[in-house]
């Protein structure tokens, strides 16, 4: 099945953004893998998903029908092409009638395989895989593999959700929980003078934090490497090694209890759990290196996220409030070390949660994230795209894990009339070894957090 673009007799090239070019360069080639678990077996009928791709997925954004090409002067652009849908739909075949454990293994191996397979540069950079065999967790699995050059997690999540429908009423749009802060708001009648006096130390602290964070960020990206540990080999080329995807589910009810008790955010709680669990894993595997210098790279969305998700049609409008694209920046922060048993709190995860809370809170008054973005732009203009991509690669290589998160819809959803019971994400192509805490998705309707490690 071929899809033709209207008016494609005269091809119009669209400039690729700098970040898109970084993510699809000789230094970096990063992809996102989204796994949608269905509660029922997936029917043996490709026509339904092909129609969904043609009528819903492709029109979302012109990049899904384009390839990245290099111009005479080295500039990269998006070039519209004819899309042969069958080239992008993959359906693996395995023996039938086997136990669930067999298909669990097959799914794990298949995710490893597709994570290592590079995208052909002669066709649009996305694929959809249908794993029709039942596993211990699902009746079947839809797997979306989307190249990072198409957009960041927020953009690609918006595209993915555009393919889903509400299970209770497909005619209604999906809704999302609004983000809430952890602190109590000041009263409306607060004294203006008192607020001004409080603002002065915050301003000074913000200046110090900006200098400290930006300097640390620059050093991690250029000179300082994490210690060699169970989760960081210091080897080159780890992005070309096989990965193993593992998921864990936490009760959202319990996470909310911790959040309320500690007056922090859900992100603080889950970040503390991840970093604490990482240290325990390191201790279990290599006790002598479990307290080595270990850095987590936290990705931040630079959009104003207070209003939740916007529809894809709103995201691609000129001067959109939350536009499509790669709108992310990053900040490395040191993972706390386990203390000796004599200190009394070596196994206390609250210290890790509070550390994550302090790290995020200080960004409210620090301009380091903004300066990081400006530094990348300065490097691009001075040294070129490949040099900037190499800088980003060193940032990933010199840190041990990456953390980011995406909020999911409130309602239960369906894809091609198949109820979706769970969803998780992984990232391939990043030069980090063993554990990559990938997209953490909240499904409020299921009262669970799905966390993916690889």
């Amino acid at each position: 099945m071929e899809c033709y673009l209207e008016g494609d007799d005269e091809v119009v090239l669209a400039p690729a953004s700098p970040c898109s070019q970084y993510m699809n360069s000789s230094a970096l080639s990063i992809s996102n893998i989204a796994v949608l678990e269905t509660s029922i077996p997936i029917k043996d009928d490709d026509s339904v998903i092909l129609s969904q791709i043609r009528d819903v997925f492709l029109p979302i954004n012109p990049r899904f029908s384009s390839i990245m090409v290099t111009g005479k002067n080295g500039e990269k652009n998006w070039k519209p092409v004819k899309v042969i849908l069958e080239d992008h739909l993959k359906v693996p075949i395995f023996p039938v009638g086997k136990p669930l454990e067999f298909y669990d293994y097959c799914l794990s191996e298949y995710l490893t395989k597709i994570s290592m397979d590079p995208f052909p540069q002669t066709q649009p950079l996305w694929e959809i895989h249908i794993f029709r065999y039942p596993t211990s967790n699902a009746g079947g699995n839809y797997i979306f593999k989307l190249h990072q050059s198409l957009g960041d997690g927020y953009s690609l999540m918006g595209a993915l959700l555009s393919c889903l429908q509400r299970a209770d009423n497909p005619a209604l749009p999906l809704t999302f929980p609004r983000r809430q802060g952890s602190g109590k708001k000041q009263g409306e009648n607060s004294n203006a003078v008192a607020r001004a006096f409080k603002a002065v130390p915050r301003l000074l602290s913000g200046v110090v934090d900006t200098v400290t964070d930006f300097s640390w960020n620059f050093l991690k990206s250029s000179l300082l490497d994490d210690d060699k540990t169970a989760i960081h080999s210091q080897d080159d080329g780890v992005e070309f090694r096989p990965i193993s995807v593992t998921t864990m589910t936490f009760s959202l009810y319990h996470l909310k209890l911790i959040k309320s008790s500690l007056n922090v955010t859900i992100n603080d709680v889950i970040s503390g759990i991840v970093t604490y669990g990482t240290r325990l894993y390191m201790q279990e595997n290599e006790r002598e290196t479990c307290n080595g210098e270990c850095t987590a790279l936290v990705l931040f969305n630079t959009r104003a996220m207070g209003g939740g998700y916007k529809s894809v049609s709103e995201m691609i409008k000129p001067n959109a409030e939350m536009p499509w694209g790669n709108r992310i920046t990053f900040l490395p922060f040191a993972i706390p070390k386990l203390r000796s048993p004599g200190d009394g709190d070596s196994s206390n995860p609250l210290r890790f949660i509070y550390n994550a809370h302090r790290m995020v809170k200080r960004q409210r008054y620090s301009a380091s994230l903004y300066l990081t973005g400006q530094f990348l732009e300065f490097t691009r203009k001075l040294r070129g795209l490949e040099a900037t991509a190499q800088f980003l690669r060193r940032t990933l290589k010199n840190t041990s894990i990456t953390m980011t998160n995406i909020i999911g819809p409130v309602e239960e959803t369906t894809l091609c009339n198949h109820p979706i019971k769970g969803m998780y994400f992984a990232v391939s192509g990043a030069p980090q070894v063993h554990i990559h805490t990938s997209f953490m998705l909240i499904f409020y309707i299921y009262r669970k957090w799905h966390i993916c490690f690889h």
Side-chain angles (χ1 to χ4, degrees):
M1 181 185 297
E2 290 187 344
C3 289
Y4 295 87
L5 302 174
E6 294 183 4
D8 62 347
D9 291 336
E10 183 178 346
V11 176
V12 179
L13 302 183
S17 69
C19 199
S20 291
Q21 298 182 60
Y22 304 152
M23 297 300 170
N24 189 28
S25 63
S26 61
L28 283 175
S29 183
I30 296 178
S31 298
N32 297 285
I33 298 174
V35 182
L36 282 68
E37 301 173 322
T38 64
S39 57
I40 62 175
I42 300 176
K43 298 177 181 178
D44 189 10
D45 183 6
D46 293 344
S47 62
V48 178
I49 185 66
L50 287 172
S51 298
Q52 185 84 352
I53 297 172
R54 182 192 63 232
D55 300 333
V56 179
F57 182 76
L58 283 186
I60 287 174
N61 193 289
R63 295 185 185 183
F64 294 150
S65 303
S66 303
I67 62 174
M68 191 176 289
V69 296
T70 304
K72 296 179 180 179
N73 298 322
E75 75 282 1
K76 293 187 177 182
N77 299 281
W78 292 107
K79 177 184 177 181
V81 295
K82 298 174 183 177
V83 181
I84 302 176
L85 298 185
E86 287 79 2
D87 289 346
H88 296 264
L89 183 64
K90 314 290 184 179
V91 184
I93 303 298
F94 297 100
V96 298
K98 299 292 184 178
L100 296 180
E101 293 77 13
F102 174 80
Y103 295 119
D104 289 342
Y105 174 79
C106 290
L107 176 61
S108 177
E109 290 296 300
Y110 189 70
L111 289 175
T112 298
K113 175 184 179 300
I114 66 174
S115 70
M116 298 178 65
D117 291 340
F119 279 109
Q121 295 295 312
T122 56
Q123 62 187 41
L125 303 176
W126 59 268
E127 293 173 350
I128 298 177
H129 304 252
I130 303 179
F131 189 89
R132 286 200 167 96
Y133 305 91
T135 64
S136 300
N137 297 321
N141 291 268
Y142 287 104
I143 306 168
F144 288 69
K145 183 180 179 183
L146 308 168
H147 199 278
Q148 184 76 22
S149 62
L150 299 173
D152 58 17
Y154 178 86
S155 299
L156 298 179
M157 183 66 176
L160 187 60
L161 294 175
S162 296
C163 299
L164 304 181
Q165 293 180 316
R166 284 178 55 158
D168 58 344
N169 188 342
L172 295 178
L174 299 175
T175 60
F176 302 88
R178 296 184 65 88
R179 299 191 175 217
Q180 298 177 349
S182 58
K184 296 181 180 180
K185 295 183 179 180
Q186 296 180 345
E188 294 295 332
N189 57 348
S190 298
N191 187 283
V193 176
R195 291 201 306 270
F197 274 110
K198 289 181 180 180
V200 173
R202 286 178 180 173
L203 176 62
L204 296 176
S205 175
V207 172
V208 174
D209 290 342
T210 296
V211 174
T212 303
D213 293 341
F214 180 72
S215 300
W216 172 244
N217 197 347
F218 177 79
L219 290 174
K220 286 302 297 181
S221 300
S222 54
L223 299 174
L224 301 180
D225 193 358
D226 278 0
D227 290 340
K228 186 174 182 179
T229 64
I231 65 169
H232 187 69
S233 69
Q234 295 185 336
D235 294 340
D236 286 324
V238 296
E239 63 267 39
F240 304 114
R241 296 178 182 176
I243 68 170
S244 179
V245 178
T246 303
T247 64
M248 298 182 66
T249 302
F250 293 88
S251 166
L252 184 59
Y253 172 75
H254 291 150
L255 295 179
K256 285 184 173 181
L257 283 181
I258 300 172
K259 166 188 175 294
S260 300
S261 299
L262 302 181
N263 193 30
V264 295
T265 67
I266 287 289
N267 280 346
D268 298 333
V269 176
I270 206 68
S271 296
I273 292 174
V274 168
T275 53
Y276 177 64
T278 298
R279 282 293 186 188
L280 292 181
Y281 173 87
M282 295 166 65
Q283 183 183 61
E284 182 69 20
N285 283 268
E286 293 182 9
R287 183 171 291 271
E288 62 274 11
T289 64
C290 69
N291 270 334
E293 294 298 329
C294 184
T295 307
L297 191 68
V298 181
L299 302 184
F300 289 89
N301 187 347
T302 60
R303 302 172 181 86
M305 289 291 292
Y309 277 101
K310 297 294 184 182
S311 66
V312 173
S313 59
E314 291 179 275
M315 291 165 61
I316 61 177
K317 289 180 180 178
N319 302 317
E321 178 186 359
M322 286 184 278
W324 182 281
N326 281 284
R327 307 283 177 144
I328 55 176
T329 186
F330 53 86
L331 176 72
F333 81 98
I335 297 178
K337 298 179 180 180
L338 295 173
R339 295 180 178 176
S340 61
D343 291 336
D345 69 343
S346 63
S347 60
N348 185 1
L350 298 186
R351 183 164 56 91
F352 290 76
I353 295 175
Y354 283 128
N355 180 78
H357 177 70
R358 287 193 299 270
M359 185 275 298
V360 174
K361 186 177 180 180
R362 67 185 288 171
Q363 296 311 309
R364 299 175 185 172
Y365 310 108
S366 171
S368 62
L369 297 178
Y370 170 78
L371 290 180
T372 298
Q374 293 302 304
F375 177 78
L376 291 177
E377 181 63 14
F378 174 77
T379 304
R380 181 183 71 85
K381 292 180 178 179
L382 182 66
R383 302 182 57 197
L385 286 163
E386 287 294 332
T388 311
Q390 286 286 356
F391 178 86
L392 290 173
R393 184 186 182 280
R394 285 195 301 272
T395 303
L396 290 166
K397 183 181 179 299
N398 289 350
T399 53
S400 298
I401 64 175
T402 296
M403 294 193 296
T404 185
N405 67 84
I406 294 291
I407 296 178
V410 173
E411 299 85 12
E412 293 189 35
T413 60
T414 65
L415 175 62
C416 298
N417 299 318
H418 291 80
I420 302 300
K421 62 171 295 188
M423 191 185 305
Y424 58 91
F425 298 78
V427 175
S428 64
Q432 291 174 322
V433 70
H434 204 88
I435 296 179
H436 185 103
T437 44
S438 192
F439 293 93
M440 298 178 283
L441 177 71
I442 307 177
F443 259 109
Y444 277 76
I445 191 69
Y446 305 122
R447 299 294 186 264
K448 296 178 181 177
W449 269 69
H450 294 273
I451 306 180
C452 176
F453 302 85
H454 71 79

